[in-house]
Amino acid sequence: MRRRKLDFMDKKPIFPLKIEELKKLLDNKFVNNPDLNFSTHKKNGKDFAIFYIDYQVDVNIMHRDLFEPLLQFGEEVVLSNQSILDTLPLSSGSTSETLDDILNKIIIGEVFIYIENEPAAVSFSLLKKQSRSLEKAETESLVLGPKISFTESLATNMNIIRWRIKSTDLVMEEVKVGKLSPRLVRIVYVKSVANEDDVNTMRQRIEELDVDEIEDSVVLKQYLEDSQTNLFPQFDATELPDRFTYNVTKGKIGVLVENSPTAFLAPSTLFSFLESTEDLYMRWQAGAFLRNLRFIAMIFSIFLTPTYVAAVTYQYAVIPTEMLISIGESRAAVPFPPIFEALLLELLLELLREAGARLPTKVGQTMGIVGGIVIGQAAVDAGLTSNILIIVVAMSALASFTTPSYLFGTTVRLVRFPLIVLAGVFGLLGIVFGLSLLAIHVLRLTSLGRPYLTPLYPLQIKDFNKVFFRTPFSFSSRRAKSYRPKQINRFNLKEAHQKRDIDE
């Protein structure tokens, strides 16, 4: 990360000057840039220039609300910065005195008017906004609940959030990030609920970030995380507005980035990545069952294949006799040790997954299904692997797909590889060693300064019903204490349990 070197003179006032001198300054900055439109005009005895970047500006609005009213000024009107600001039917007018300010504004779609020998140039924001319509979420699918996702338009995303959280307590702070290519960032939180320390920490990290550009919100998330070197994501990323607003009302801090269809939330815990807003839309019994199923599936996905490798390689005694005979018959024609066999199948599965994701949708689905069946059967017939291991690897893959967060699901799959190696070299002892290292690593992690394993560590038993299982809404009167919100109570518990008929 480095700072862009700026000419000191760019930050000093440059006006008043001649129009030719201003054009020369701009030409020096926009070298070989034919998109810079600079035209000179004369009105009421005064020379003035209009300059802007063609493709950044909405030309129709510029001609209608800027050119035409300007050329219709009467002879009695004294052409000046103040008369332009007062007369033109545009509300976004401002003045700039330095070249640096002009450059920063012109590249984000502002049109400048400079009257010769005036102490400043006047500008209006006429940015041509390109945005796609609201569409169904692609990476986070839901059966119940809203299906729309965020778009690349920051204004559209903010509008969706305002539409869902109709409260004056909702705050959307604006910060600019990037020296070479600045982007607008919005810090979103509910001021009556969010912890002030968390808000200040997030604001400070964003404001102190010194980079040339931010490609996407997921990239910004990696810059801001407590540790950039560990495997586990510490901020939760989502493209679903309902998931975003639900977590913001719980006391979390949300961040939106211009030109990014993904938002992220902090602080997050390990268990946040296994939650889905769909749990809220079901009966509490079904929601609790599915949430626990994801916890079990995560453990299953990490340890099933390593356990198979350790048992077949060293610990035969843990396998029932009938199954041991079946495994022996299945592996009779396989010349490779279990560790090589397992790594081969896992890599093959990852190749199929990556190929399916990169190919066009219809072709990718065919590749995933047909490729898995054909290659798996061919591998068994060729004696490269056994039928049982194909079942084990397939079950591990299915279990990893239950994770709502794509980033966390990828982490689960990556953790499996070193455990397979440890299981193949040291057996079950290697799995225990790997699990111990994993536990130590996760215990040391934090998210925005909060423990990553809360409410399990440090222990917050009262938050268990918000993490490990679901209770009826009438019993969920308190927000999670783990996030230390200003208001712990969501509603009055006694009032919620009182049921009144209409005649009462």
Side-chain angles (χ1 to χ4, degrees):
M1 293 183 288
R2 56 184 175 80
R3 290 190 180 276
R4 178 169 60 96
K5 292 183 179 180
L6 292 172
D7 187 348
F8 178 72
M9 295 301 295
D10 292 353
K11 292 184 176 294
K12 295 181 65 176
I14 60 173
F15 301 107
L17 45 69
K18 296 290 185 180
I19 290 178
E20 292 78 10
E21 295 174 352
L22 176 61
K23 187 176 187 305
K24 188 179 295 184
L25 285 174
L26 292 174
D27 287 339
N28 290 335
K29 292 296 180 181
F30 291 94
V31 179
N32 298 327
N33 193 335
D35 301 306
L36 177 64
N37 192 310
F38 192 102
S39 59
T40 57
H41 308 269
K42 193 177 183 94
K43 183 69 177 176
N44 295 352
K46 287 195 175 184
D47 294 324
F48 66 94
I50 297 177
F51 53 97
Y52 56 91
I53 295 179
D54 276 334
Y55 54 82
Q56 288 285 85
V57 172
D58 192 320
V59 178
N60 294 327
I61 296 178
M62 182 176 64
H63 281 283
R64 184 191 68 198
D65 297 338
L66 193 146
F67 275 164
E68 292 182 6
L70 189 60
L71 295 177
Q72 291 173 3
F73 274 16
E75 295 293 334
E76 72 283 356
V77 178
V78 178
L79 195 62
S80 65
N81 288 348
Q82 193 59 47
S83 64
I84 290 175
L85 291 171
D86 293 341
T87 307
L88 293 185
L90 295 167
S91 60
S92 57
S94 62
T95 58
S96 302
E97 298 179 353
T98 66
L99 184 59
D100 184 55
D101 194 23
I102 291 174
L103 297 175
N104 288 332
K105 288 181 178 180
I106 199 171
I107 61 177
I108 61 172
E110 296 207 9
V111 177
F112 279 86
I113 302 173
Y114 174 62
I115 304 169
E116 194 166 64
N117 294 323
E118 282 285 312
V122 179
S123 66
F124 297 92
S125 179
L126 300 178
L127 176 65
K128 181 191 294 184
K129 297 181 179 179
Q130 302 286 353
S131 62
R132 60 184 171 93
S133 59
L134 296 177
E135 297 175 356
K136 186 177 179 180
E138 293 290 335
T139 59
E140 297 176 81
S141 58
L142 295 175
V143 178
L144 302 175
K147 304 297 190 298
I148 62 172
S149 66
F150 287 125
T151 71
E152 288 78 8
S153 170
L154 182 60
T156 301
N157 296 339
M158 291 164 57
N159 185 34
I160 296 173
I161 294 170
R162 285 284 183 190
W163 175 62
R164 294 188 60 87
I165 306 179
K166 299 180 178 69
S167 172
T168 56
D169 281 348
L170 180 64
V171 179
M172 295 185 179
E173 294 185 16
E174 181 181 296
V175 185
K176 278 190 178 180
V177 177
K179 302 298 181 184
L180 182 64
S181 176
R183 282 203 186 186
L184 289 179
V185 175
R186 291 282 184 155
I187 306 172
V188 185
Y189 60 94
V190 179
K191 63 182 178 182
S192 61
V193 178
N195 185 281
E196 289 186 6
D197 290 340
D198 292 343
V199 175
N200 294 335
T201 301
M202 179 64 77
R203 185 190 300 116
Q204 181 180 356
R205 290 186 185 183
I206 294 176
E207 289 177 347
E208 292 182 352
L209 188 61
D210 185 14
V211 292
D212 280 348
E213 60 182 342
I214 294 295
E215 292 80 4
D216 190 80
S217 61
V218 182
V219 176
L220 176 62
K221 179 178 78 73
Q222 296 179 60
Y223 278 119
L224 302 179
E225 286 178 336
D226 295 36
S227 173
Q228 298 182 21
T229 57
N230 81 85
L231 187 60
F232 287 86
Q234 293 135 61
F235 294 170
D236 190 9
T238 182
E239 64 173 352
L240 293 173
D242 66 321
R243 181 182 175 93
F244 183 88
T245 55
Y246 169 68
N247 282 280
V248 166
T249 55
K250 284 169 59 178
K252 292 188 178 183
I253 317 300
V255 176
L256 300 170
V257 179
E258 183 183 15
N259 298 333
S260 174
T262 306
F264 63 87
L265 297 149
S268 297
T269 68
L270 175 70
F271 311 105
S272 300
F273 298 95
L274 300 173
E275 296 179 12
S276 172
T277 49
E278 196 171 30
D279 300 342
L280 304 173
Y281 306 138
M282 297 182 176
R283 297 291 298 174
W284 68 271
Q285 298 92 337
F289 169 74
L290 291 178
R291 188 171 295 183
N292 284 306
L293 182 64
R294 294 189 204 104
F295 293 146
I296 296 171
M298 179 189 67
I299 299 171
F300 199 73
S301 177
I302 293 174
F303 293 105
L304 182 61
T305 306
T307 302
Y308 169 85
V309 171
V312 173
T313 307
Y314 297 106
Q315 281 80 23
Y316 303 104
V318 302
I319 306 175
T321 304
E322 293 80 3
M323 184 176 289
L324 187 60
I325 294 172
S326 177
I327 292 174
E329 292 175 350
S330 177
R331 297 199 70 257
V334 179
F336 306 112
I339 180 175
F340 178 82
E341 185 185 0
L343 289 174
L344 177 66
L345 273 182
E346 290 285 356
L347 287 172
L348 177 63
L349 189 66
E350 293 300 324
L351 286 174
L352 286 172
R353 191 200 315 271
E354 189 65 15
R358 300 292 168 248
L359 289 171
T361 305
K362 293 182 180 179
V363 180
Q365 292 175 351
T366 305
M367 169 66 75
I369 298 171
V370 178
I373 295 173
V374 172
I375 296 177
Q377 186 60 46
V380 173
D381 293 341
L384 296 177
T385 185
S386 62
N387 286 319
I388 294 179
L389 184 57
I390 286 181
I391 296 173
V392 170
V393 172
M395 291 176 66
S396 296
L398 285 175
S400 69
F401 292 149
T402 62
T403 306
S405 170
Y406 175 78
L407 294 175
F408 191 77
T410 304
T411 299
V412 169
R413 298 199 303 271
L414 289 176
V415 167
R416 196 159 58 227
F417 283 94
L419 286 177
I420 291 174
V421 174
L422 288 172
V425 176
F426 301 106
L428 291 178
L429 184 61
I431 296 178
V432 173
F433 178 72
L435 176 61
S436 301
L437 290 179
L438 187 63
I440 293 171
H441 176 68
V442 175
L443 283 169
R444 291 169 57 88
L445 286 181
T446 58
S447 174
L448 213 64
R450 308 294 186 196
Y452 197 60
L453 281 184
T454 183
L456 197 61
Y457 174 82
L459 191 63
Q460 296 283 354
I461 296 178
K462 290 184 178 180
D463 287 350
F464 276 25
N465 66 330
K466 301 169 186 63
V467 175
F468 299 108
F469 56 90
R470 251 206 66 200
T471 55
F473 288 122
S474 57
F475 291 92
S476 303
S477 63
R478 294 168 61 87
R479 293 184 175 89
K481 191 177 179 181
S482 308
Y483 303 126
R484 302 179 187 178
K486 288 182 181 178
Q487 292 184 12
I488 194 69
N489 293 319
R490 296 174 58 240
F491 56 83
N492 190 298
L493 185 60
K494 292 182 179 180
E495 290 289 333
H497 284 284
Q498 290 182 5
K499 299 185 181 297
R500 298 183 177 90
D501 294 333
I502 193 169
D503 57 350
E504 294 183 12

